[in-house]
Amino acid sequence: MINIVLFGPPGAGKGTQAEFLKVKFNLFHISTGDVFRFNIKNNTSLGLMAKSFIDKGDLVPDQVTIDMLNEVVRKNLDSNGFIFDGFPRTNNQALALDKLMEENNSTISAMIALEVDDKALIARLLERGKTSGRVDDSNEEIIQNRISEYYKKTAILKDFYMKKNRYFGVDGQGSIEHITNRLSSVIESL
Ligand code: AMP
C-alpha cells in the first residue's frame, strides 16, 4: 500500500491535487472536510455537531474526527492505498493514524506538504468563496482563524514526520500541472 498524507495550510491546493493523484496512482482519497460537509448536507447528527466548529473556522474535536476517519479507512481497506487530505491536523490525530495503519500492517509512506505563502492562501480562499458556497470561505476573519488554527495545532506535524524521515516539501505555487508533477516525482521516488 502507498499511503500519502497531503499536507499544507487551508487553500494550499490539497483537494485539487488529490483529485489528480488519486487517478494517477489509483489511491482512495479521503478528505475529512468533504466527509464533514457531506454530513452537514444530509443533516446527520455528526454534521450538525461539526457545523458549529467548521463555520467559525475552528477544528472539529479530535475524537469525533478520528472515529469518522477510522470508519472510512476500515471500509476501504481493499484499496491500493490512501491519500489523506486534511487529516491528520493535530498530534493526537497523527498518533491515531499511526495506530490505525499499524493495526492493518501498513504505514504512512510520506507526508507531502504543499508550501504556499499566507498572502496567496487568503487570496485563493476568498476567490474560491465566490463559488464554493462554503461559510468558512466567505470572510477574511474566518479564513484568518483557519490559518491560525493551522499554525497553532497542525504545522507541528511537519516535525512528527520529519523525525521518521517521511516528510517531503514541494513548492505549491505555479500551475496546477506543474504542482502535480512535483508531487508525482515524490510519490514515484518512494
Ligand atoms: P477542509 O475542507 O480540509 O479545509 O476542512 C474544512 C473544515 O473542516 C476545517 O476548517 C475544520 O473545521 C474541519 N476539519 C476538516 N478536517 C479536520 C480534521 N482533521 N480535524 C479537525 N477538523 C477538521
Side-chain angles (χ1 to χ4, degrees):
M1 266 186 152
I2 303 178
N3 299 304
I4 306 293
V5 170
L6 207 49
F7 192 65
K14 301 186 292 293
T16 303
Q17 292 298 331
E19 291 298 326
F20 291 105
L21 297 175
K22 75 174 182 192
V23 176
K24 193 161 178 183
F25 296 96
N26 188 24
L27 301 172
F28 190 90
H29 172 210
I30 304 179
S31 154
T32 40
D34 283 351
V35 181
F36 283 131
R37 283 184 288 276
F38 177 84
N39 277 276
I40 292 171
K41 209 169 133 202
N42 289 287
N43 284 316
T44 67
S45 52
L46 173 66
L48 269 179
M49 196 283 271
K51 187 172 165 52
S52 58
F53 295 93
I54 294 176
D55 284 357
K56 285 186 282 185
D58 291 338
L59 292 188
V60 176
D62 275 341
Q63 204 51 53
V64 178
T65 309
I66 291 167
D67 289 348
M68 179 183 90
L69 187 279
N70 283 355
E71 199 189 319
V72 182
V73 168
R74 288 188 181 125
K75 279 188 186 150
N76 293 285
L77 282 168
D78 56 348
S79 71
N80 216 15
F82 294 92
I83 300 183
F84 297 99
D85 155 14
F87 187 95
R89 265 177 152 103
T90 64
N91 200 54
N92 280 338
Q93 293 182 15
L95 293 171
L97 183 59
D98 268 2
K99 193 163 155 241
L100 178 67
M101 290 290 113
E102 222 170 86
E103 274 168 26
N104 295 292
N105 301 315
S106 199
T107 184
I108 294 297
S109 322
M111 164 183 268
I112 316 180
L114 289 167
E115 296 164 347
V116 179
D117 65 55
D118 288 357
K119 252 198 193 155
L121 296 175
I122 295 172
R124 282 186 188 182
L125 290 169
L126 284 171
E127 187 59 33
R128 185 173 79 186
K130 290 181 188 164
T131 54
S132 71
R134 284 176 54 169
V135 176
D136 63 345
D137 285 342
S138 65
N139 91 43
E140 199 162 334
E141 210 176 306
I142 301 173
I143 291 173
Q144 282 289 3
N145 187 40
R146 288 165 63 197
I147 295 173
S148 120
E149 283 280 84
Y150 173 81
Y151 285 113
K152 263 193 294 190
K153 300 173 183 169
T154 309
I156 43 148
L157 296 181
K158 176 176 177 176
D159 290 345
F160 185 94
Y161 289 94
M162 264 203 167
K163 282 190 191 132
K164 300 172 188 278
N165 283 323
R166 298 276 160 85
Y167 179 88
F168 302 83
V170 306
D171 180 359
Q173 294 183 154
S175 76
I176 291 178
E177 200 187 338
H178 279 133
I179 300 167
T180 310
N181 290 340
R182 288 174 202 143
L183 293 166
S184 299
S185 303
V186 175
I187 298 174
E188 281 155 4
S189 75
L190 294 174

